[in-house]
Amino acid sequence: VEGHLAQIDTIEPIVRALLLRTDAHARAQAAELDHRRRPAGLLAGVPVVLKDAFVTKGIATTANSRVLAGWIPPYDGTHAARLADAGAVLVGKAAMDEFAMGSSSENVPGDPVHNPWAPDRVAGGSSGGTAAAVAAGMVPLGLGTDTGGSIRQPAAMCGVVGLKPSYGRVSRFGMIAFGSSLDQAGTIARNVRDAALGLSVIAGHDPLDPTSIAAPPGDLLGACERSCAGMRVGVHRRALELPGLDPEVHAAFAASLEVLRDCGMTLVDIELPHFELAIATYYVICAAEAASNLARYDGVRYGRRVPAEDLARTIEASRSAGFGAEVKRRILLGTFVLRKDGYDAYYGRAQRVRTAIARDYDDAFACCDVIATPTSPVPAFRIGERAADPLAMYLSDVFTVGANLAGLPGISIPAGFTAATTGRPRLPIGLQLLGPHLGEAALLTAAAGHEAATAWHRERPPIFAVTLEAPGAPP
Ligand code: GLN
């Protein structure tokens, strides 16, 4: 723990991955383990960060929103509780896009997160703080949330592993809601096994969340050891004709398919007929759910109050001051698609397309075990480069939102780098694998197979090494 706190001292001023450091809390947790006041759990002594969307007892939790500034939760969410029971040591709350709305960790009231590979670039989002902290060696493991790609996409941009489980695999109790039918908690780590280990700690039924699934997660670590030979990998060729797909991302993806084939997997072509509709469908549904979920922050029931002369004006002033521009945009969009005479044309239709998209995946998984795609169509872009164009930002979720609409598990693993020639630095590229609902085991087997055959996950950004020589520094 001391080694990692030293690493954080050095690196955090460059990366800005944390909204809050919890050094004292971490040292107390570590001391408790040292004195063996508790039986050693699966993560005994492992330093972790939690995205600030996870509720932590006695530790400020804001979802990076001014509206929650000053809130000290009186309880732990299931994620914080299960990590602590397993012996994990919380060293900080990780930065994120406000209420997890974004793809770059730039929708923030304060500093954006900087990519450890190139600090003038974004870390991805919305779990950019967790991904950057893991990539920079500040912690070996962290939790993020994924509503439309927010674990997988920052993992890809930071060169680490991001695992989004099936909807219902992990409790949502104590995870600040964005789109309730899409949100899932998951892990970010530097290899597939660590991501699986973290998931095995937080997964499983939770009586406090009625959408959590009773089926046990199974032997996730065992799944990482199993041979992937003979597995079938579905490839949706048409998706690769996407105009915004970066050529270097395309090339890395093609190379990954060769790796999978060399591991003994078979490539099969699949069709996802409604693929092009996923982004529009996602942004209607997530905005509708966000507008509903965020209605509670009115300065009266929840959230920081900005007093005004009467109730209506107090609510207006509190919400105006409390929310940032992107959150307001989603609330307006969500309210629009839910209004009486728009409901059928937008929200109702989006729900029907969602069903069609889920059926496409069911059909595809009839002839393959996992589906491979790039994670993000582009590597990490420059801070500010896309901030003025929300539509361009939304399009960067094209490969990830389908899994959330259909409730499927997905993982992003390191799969190459851009060449440091064409005016941009060497930047990580991710490979996404999707599995059928509750098919985490197959997903992990395929991902671990690719990882074992490549060395991308062993690469570290130059700043990682800063304190490596210090006694007790992280491996
Ligand atoms: N980028 C997507 C959005 O802004 C996904 C975010 C997420 O997964 N939390 O909605």
Side-chain angles (χ1 to χ4, degrees):
V1 168
E2 289 301 339
H4 282 85
L5 292 179
Q7 179 86 346
I8 294 171
D9 284 341
T10 314
I11 293 192
E12 174 59 10
I14 308 168
V15 172
R16 303 217 167 271
L18 302 179
L19 293 178
L20 182 72
R21 291 180 60 160
T22 52
D23 294 33
H25 173 88
R27 289 192 170 107
Q29 271 187 315
E32 203 176 309
L33 289 161
D34 279 346
H35 296 111
R36 299 203 192 285
R37 281 186 219 121
R38 294 207 264 134
L42 266 182
L43 295 176
V46 176
V48 297
V49 294
L50 288 173
K51 183 180 187 176
D52 205 29
F54 292 102
V55 171
T56 43
K57 183 177 180 178
I59 296 170
T61 301
T62 66
N64 214 356
S65 182
R66 282 184 301 249
V67 87
L68 278 171
W71 184 47
I72 308 287
Y75 68 102
D76 264 335
T78 299
H79 322 84
R82 288 189 179 175
L83 284 175
D85 283 349
V89 173
L90 181 69
V91 298
K93 300 297 293 286
M96 58 186 284
D97 285 298
E98 182 178 1
F99 283 109
M101 297 172 191
S103 309
S104 65
S105 301
E106 293 173 290
N107 296 331
V108 294
D111 290 321
V113 181
H114 298 256
N115 192 307
W117 289 90
D120 63 330
R121 295 191 173 241
V122 302
S126 64
S127 310
T130 303
V134 170
M138 292 159 64
V139 282
L141 178 68
L143 295 195
T145 68
D146 192 311
T147 305
S150 279
I151 288 175
R152 291 159 286 159
Q153 188 259 24
M157 289 190 172
C158 291
V160 292
V161 175
L163 175 56
K164 172 232 176 278
S166 306
Y167 186 78
R169 184 58 96 192
V170 178
S171 174
R172 290 183 297 111
F173 178 74
M175 185 168 105
I176 293 175
F178 164 12
S180 303
S181 75
L182 305 155
D183 297 340
Q184 258 300 286
T187 51
I188 297 182
R190 290 195 290 267
N191 58 63
V192 173
R193 205 187 141 81
D194 286 355
L197 178 64
L199 177 59
S200 68
V201 167
I202 59 169
H205 181 247
D206 178 6
L208 297 172
D209 174 6
T211 64
S212 81
I213 287 171
D219 180 9
L220 300 177
L221 292 179
C224 299
E225 311 299 327
R226 222 167 284 141
S227 166
C228 60
M231 289 181 79
R232 297 158 306 165
V233 182
V235 183
H236 178 41
R237 303 271 168 200
R238 195 159 47 83
L240 302 172
E241 289 158 21
L242 194 84
L245 184 61
D246 185 276
E248 286 189 281
V249 172
H250 194 170
F253 178 67
S256 295
L257 293 183
E258 287 314 309
V259 171
L260 295 173
R261 207 205 304 265
D262 290 345
C263 293
M265 301 193 226
T266 314
L267 304 185
V268 295
D269 283 340
I270 56 159
E271 285 304 321
L272 296 170
H274 299 89
F275 178 81
E276 282 78 3
L277 301 177
I279 288 278
T281 305
Y282 168 79
Y283 275 94
V284 169
I285 291 172
C286 82
E289 295 184 3
S292 306
N293 276 324
L294 299 186
R296 73 188 68 166
Y297 303 105
D298 54 12
V300 179
R301 293 169 299 168
Y302 290 91
R304 206 168 49 151
R305 179 175 306 174
V306 177
E309 49 277 30
D310 56 30
L311 178 62
R313 267 172 255 197
T314 298
I315 292 174
E316 189 184 319
S318 300
R319 287 170 70 80
S320 297
F323 295 131
E326 182 60 28
V327 175
K328 287 175 184 160
R329 185 176 295 124
R330 307 278 178 118
I331 292 173
L332 290 173
L333 180 61
T335 307
F336 176 83
V337 301
L338 287 174
R339 81 200 195 287
K340 190 158 150 278
D341 50 353
Y343 188 92
D344 241 13
Y346 295 98
Y347 186 70
R349 183 176 298 186
Q351 290 292 19
R352 288 193 291 279
V353 179
R354 178 182 194 170
T355 304
I357 290 171
R359 228 178 269 135
D360 287 352
Y361 283 104
D362 281 348
D363 292 347
F365 282 119
C367 53
C368 66
D369 301 301
V370 295
I371 294 173
T373 75
T375 307
S376 165
V378 292
F381 39 89
R382 259 186 227 93
I383 291 176
E385 191 178 318
R386 292 188 169 206
D389 186 353
L391 221 52
M393 195 72 97
Y394 295 173
L395 286 174
S396 65
D397 303 325
V398 61
F399 292 117
T400 50
V401 294
N404 303 76
L405 289 168
L408 308 175
I411 191 168
S412 178
I413 56 176
F417 286 83
T418 62
T421 45
T422 46
R424 68 182 173 195
R426 191 161 179 271
L427 298 167
I429 295 173
L431 167 71
Q432 175 179 246
L433 297 172
L434 302 178
H437 187 61
L438 301 183
E440 279 83 1
L443 196 63
L444 291 167
T445 299
H450 183 279
E451 184 179 87
T454 55
W456 304 121
H457 65 289
R458 293 211 192 84
E459 303 241 5
R460 302 283 178 256
I463 60 168
F464 187 104
V466 172
T467 59
L468 267 184
E469 304 308 319

